[in-house]
Amino acid sequence: MKKSDFYFDLPQELIAQHPLADRSASRLLVLDKVTGKVQHKIFREIVDYLEPGDCLVLNDTKVLPARLLGVKEGTGAAVETLLLKRLEKDIWETLVKPGKKARPGTILRFGNGLLTGEVLDVLEEGNRKIRFSYEGIFEEVLDRLGEMPLPPYITHKLEDKNRYQTVYAKYEGSAAAPTAGLHFTEELLKKIGEKGVETAYVTLHVGLGTFRPVKADNILEHHMHSEHYEVSKETAEKINQAKQSGKRVICVGTTSCRTVESAADENGCVQACSGNTEIFIYPGYRFKALDALITNFHLPESTLVMLVSALAGRENVLAAYRQAIAQQYRFFSFGDAMLVC
């Protein structure tokens, strides 16, 4: 299976640069995964496609304001540091630009010295291991100095940090938002609950690997990035109850999907567990627990388009994308949504 099998031509002007004022006012393309039939709706109408007893699975990770702009001590040269993964209390795996200015022993200063970082080591793929020093609480310092690590295709500045968080974000640790969840408001979640739909929360901390392009022409040669996830006993029970009752498990976003599928056994029973997952879902994959998916529109040739194609079929997905482009849907993180059911 080739990377080029998942290519489509996307006009630049369809890449959403700003979130809508009303989260739930985004458009919603509903794709029948069996027939390929498409309907065009508004996201708040998602309630009409959910049934009592269904289990809606959401990722409650919270995005760190992980982008730090600073200088190299001694020369004053500008550096940008992106926090990727906490390794120990004050030691992080980071991405530093430009990397040549961040050799081991280099001191980086942020916020006129409110936060400093010492480069300890150069890791795989050129990432840097940095020990941070500060006074007070690291998260409070980060909230003061850090910016949201928006994807590279968003070139406009985000005025409100909270618009790159879901309304149910709880556990800090992500370098990117689980963007399918950005469409939900507290009011919409309340309506969903009133209809008798169960909501269950998993945690998967989204890494920057979610934006890494597939470089291998043969997709089977692509190595997925590792991401930490947790599934509670309560969530596992809710998902399994829905399955046993003949109801659907509907994942919000590819991160929730990858978490549920990583925690499910071959019989589709989800276990309460935590760990790291490198699961790569592409056409031919047999879903163990997931029945339907709410997701955004993804980059051409990305692992995310491959995942959606595994659920609905490559031809159905690319045909739906062609319709979305013709109908001027907004794409990517701040764009519109798709329900595959």
Side-chain angles (χ1 to χ4, degrees), residues 53 60 90 194 196 294 332:
D60 60 9
D90 291 321
E194 288 171 348
I294 298 167
F332 306 159

Side-chain angles (χ1 to χ4, degrees), residues 53-328:
D54 284 346
C55 184
L56 189 69
V57 184
L58 307 110
N59 182 7
D60 60 9
T61 188
K62 193 171 186 179
V63 185
L64 287 163
R67 182 171 178 252
L68 290 162
L69 303 178
V71 296
K72 180 181 173 182
E73 190 171 81
T75 66
V79 286
E80 177 181 329
T81 301
L82 203 57
L83 305 182
L84 299 180
K85 184 190 298 183
R86 180 177 247 144
L87 303 175
E88 298 175 41
K89 182 177 182 292
D90 291 321
I91 299 177
W92 288 75
E93 180 177 346
T94 70
L95 178 65
V96 180
K97 297 180 183 178
K100 63 183 179 182
K101 293 179 182 174
R103 297 185 181 92
T106 300
I107 303 296
L108 306 177
R109 295 171 59 83
F110 309 94
N112 294 320
L114 282 176
L115 179 68
T116 62
E118 179 187 358
V119 179
L120 302 179
D121 198 5
V122 179
L123 304 175
E124 190 180 350
E125 298 182 342
N127 293 344
R128 264 53 178 181
K129 185 177 181 180
I130 293 181
R131 179 193 288 118
F132 289 98
S133 301
Y134 52 90
E135 288 187 7
I137 300 170
F138 181 74
E139 285 74 15
E140 291 181 358
V141 175
L142 192 61
D143 193 53
R144 181 174 174 184
L145 300 180
E147 297 180 5
M148 281 300 178
L150 296 179
Y153 47 74
I154 294 177
T155 57
H156 295 204
K157 186 175 173 62
L158 182 65
E159 298 301 326
D160 180 1
K161 283 184 183 179
N162 288 326
R163 291 310 309 273
Y164 196 56
Q165 302 278 21
T166 62
V167 296
Y168 47 81
K170 190 172 184 181
Y171 300 107
E172 282 190 331
S174 277
T179 54
L182 296 178
H183 304 282
F184 288 90
T185 62
E186 290 176 359
E187 179 187 13
L188 183 55
L189 287 169
K190 184 181 177 186
K191 282 185 179 177
I192 288 168
E194 288 171 348
K195 192 171 182 179
V197 177
E198 285 285 356
T199 51
Y201 294 91
V202 297
T203 306
L204 181 139
H205 293 314
V206 188
L208 272 199
T210 195
F211 301 121
R212 283 209 179 110
V214 177
K215 293 180 180 176
D217 189 43
N218 178 354
I219 69 168
L220 300 183
E221 295 173 9
H222 177 70
H223 178 68
M224 287 292 285
H225 53 286
S226 177
E227 293 171 316
H228 183 75
Y229 73 93
E230 296 187 18
V231 178
S232 68
K233 183 181 177 184
E234 179 187 6
T235 287
E237 288 174 351
K238 284 183 176 182
I239 293 171
N240 294 334
Q241 177 60 42
K243 298 296 287 184
Q244 290 161 13
S245 303
K247 299 297 184 178
R248 296 174 301 167
V249 174
I250 302 158
C251 288
V252 177
T254 56
T255 60
S256 297
C257 165
R258 294 177 68 240
T259 303
V260 166
E261 290 297 305
S262 296
D265 64 21
E266 290 306 311
N267 298 314
C269 182
V270 171
Q271 312 295 318
C273 58
S274 65
N276 296 313
T277 182
E278 296 178 354
I279 190 171
F280 182 15
I281 297 175
Y282 54 86
Y285 178 85
R286 184 181 68 83
F287 286 89
K288 296 176 286 188
L290 174 142
D291 298 296
L293 176 70
I294 298 167
T295 187
N296 279 21
F297 291 91
H298 303 295
L299 286 160
E301 300 183 334
S302 65
T303 59
L304 307 180
V305 165
M306 294 170 193
L307 184 153
V308 180
S309 297
L311 181 61
R314 185 179 68 91
E315 292 299 333
N316 285 346
V317 170
L318 293 180
Y321 270 53
R322 286 193 292 271
Q323 282 206 44
I325 291 166
Q327 295 280 337
Q328 300 280 291

Side-chain angles (χ1 to χ4, degrees), residues 7-22:
Y7 179 78
F8 60 91
D9 189 31
L10 180 70
Q12 283 287 114
E13 63 268 19
L14 295 186
I15 299 173
Q17 294 295 323
H18 300 286
L20 296 181
D22 176 0

Side-chain angles (χ1 to χ4, degrees), residues 39-52:
Q39 300 175 65
H40 301 286
K41 301 290 180 178
I42 301 299
F43 190 82
R44 66 176 67 93
E45 296 176 277
I46 195 83
V47 180
D48 299 335
Y49 293 89
L50 305 176
E51 299 297 335

